[in-house]
Each structure stands twice: as structure tokens, then as C-alpha cells.
Amino acid sequence: MKSFAIRQQALLEALDTRILVLDGAMGTMLQQKNPTIEDWGGSAFENCSENLLFTRPEWIKDVHRAYYAAGADMVETNSFGGHTVTLAEFGLEDKWHDVNRISAELARAAADEFSQPGRPRFIAGSMGPTTKAISVTGGITFAGLRDGYYKQAKGLIDGGADVLLVETCQDTRNVKAALLAIESLAKEY
């Protein structure tokens, strides 16, 4: 965890001295590659961007590189749908750790390529809303959301994420579950 602490210090120092630029959309960039059914890994995985981590990891890394080359200081991992609930829709719930770890590792590799003395590059572990919301769609418990977010956060940190980004959530209970999971994980480090 020494390298994590060093990166955290570098991130705090960067935030104290300048505005950091975050990347743009991952999904849009991947769709521009016009993925075929084979690229997705079969029809069962069509539109599952997380499965591209296994079938087309070079695409993911290339997206990160493009954003760093354009001047981004931080990129988001390809893990927006990396919660066990969302992965279950594609039969990938048991691969939660691999999905999140690999997404962070690919971003970390690109960050390391573009980091320079005085200008390190950073990784934001993307944690999306899932496809379930207690208040809106139901079909999930608070504990189920929290446990899935904990797993997602763990995989992202294990892969090298510098921060965790809970994003695009419409239900404050989902946000609360994610934040409690992150807080629980933080106590382990």
C-alpha cells in the first residue's frame, strides 16, 4: 500500500496547486470502434463494456491513452457496470474482482506511460448506479447494494485506482450504500 499512499499524496498536492482535468465518456469512445458480436464476446455480452476488458483490453487502454494525450490528468476506469448486480445481467457476477481490478490496471498502465516528474496521472475508479434502485425499480436490498459496492471498490483499489467515483446515481439510497461500502473498505487500509 506504500505506492497507494504516495499516489494519494501526489493527488492531494496536485489538487492544492491546480485544476485537474478528468477524461470524457468511455462508452462513447468504445462505440466509435463499431464493436461486432465477436468483439463483445458473443451475443450474450452485447453492450457489456466490462466484458471488453477480456476480449479487447487494448481498446480500453487506447481510450485512456487518448484522453491522457489530449491533456487529461485523470481517467475513469471501464467499470461503470462493475457492480455484481449489473454484472449478473450478463452472467459475470462471479468475475466482479477481475472486472474491477483489470479495469484499474489498464488505466494505471496508461497513467504510468503518461506520468512525468511534476505531472503524475491519476485513476478514478468508476462506480455506476447499477440497474437496480431501492426507491425506483426495487428488486434489491440496501445490504445487497452495499455489499456489491464494497466488492467493486475493493477490486478497483486492488487494481490501482487513486480515488473512487460514485457516479450517475439517481437514487440517494444507492449513493448511501456506495459511500458506506467505501467507508467500510477504507477502514481496512
Side-chain angles (χ1 to χ4, degrees), residues 27 30 32 39-40 44 56 63 74 77-78 122 130 164 188:
L30 292 173
Q32 288 178 359
D39 293 321
W40 292 114
R56 296 289 183 256
V63 170
M74 182 180 289
T77 58
N78 183 44
F122 303 102
T130 80
L164 298 170
E188 296 177 20

Side-chain angles (χ1 to χ4, degrees), residues 127 129 134 141-143 145-147 149-150 166 169-184:
M127 299 173 69
I134 294 172
T141 64
F142 185 84
L145 281 172
R146 185 192 61 231
D147 294 348
Y149 278 123
Y150 174 89
V166 179
C169 294
Q170 300 82 18
D171 190 329
T172 56
R173 292 180 188 171
N174 284 46
V175 173
K176 183 177 181 178
L179 294 177
L180 288 173
I182 292 167
E183 181 180 58
S184 178

Side-chain angles (χ1 to χ4, degrees), residues 10 18 68-69 72-73 110-122:
R18 61 189 167 85
Y68 284 132
D73 296 294
D112 290 347
E113 288 176 28
F114 282 83
S115 289
Q116 302 169 10
R119 182 131 187 238
R121 299 306 203 279
F122 303 102

Side-chain angles (χ1 to χ4, degrees), residues 23 26-27 30 48-51 53 60 64 75-84 86-87 95-107 123-130 148-149 151-153 155-157 161 163-167:
D23 68 357
M26 172 64 75
L30 292 173
C48 179
S49 295
E50 290 73 22
N51 203 53
L53 293 162
I60 308 303
H64 296 316
V75 298
E76 294 180 46
T77 58
N78 183 44
S79 57
F80 183 82
H83 190 287
T84 53
T86 308
L87 292 173
K95 291 190 171 193
W96 63 267
H97 191 262
D98 290 339
V99 163
N100 292 288
R101 179 186 47 79
I102 292 168
S103 69
E105 287 174 349
L106 291 171
I123 310 303
S126 174
M127 299 173 69
T130 80
Y149 278 123
K151 290 176 177 178
Q152 185 174 18
L156 290 166
I157 295 298
V163 296
L164 298 170
L165 178 64
V166 179
E167 61 171 318

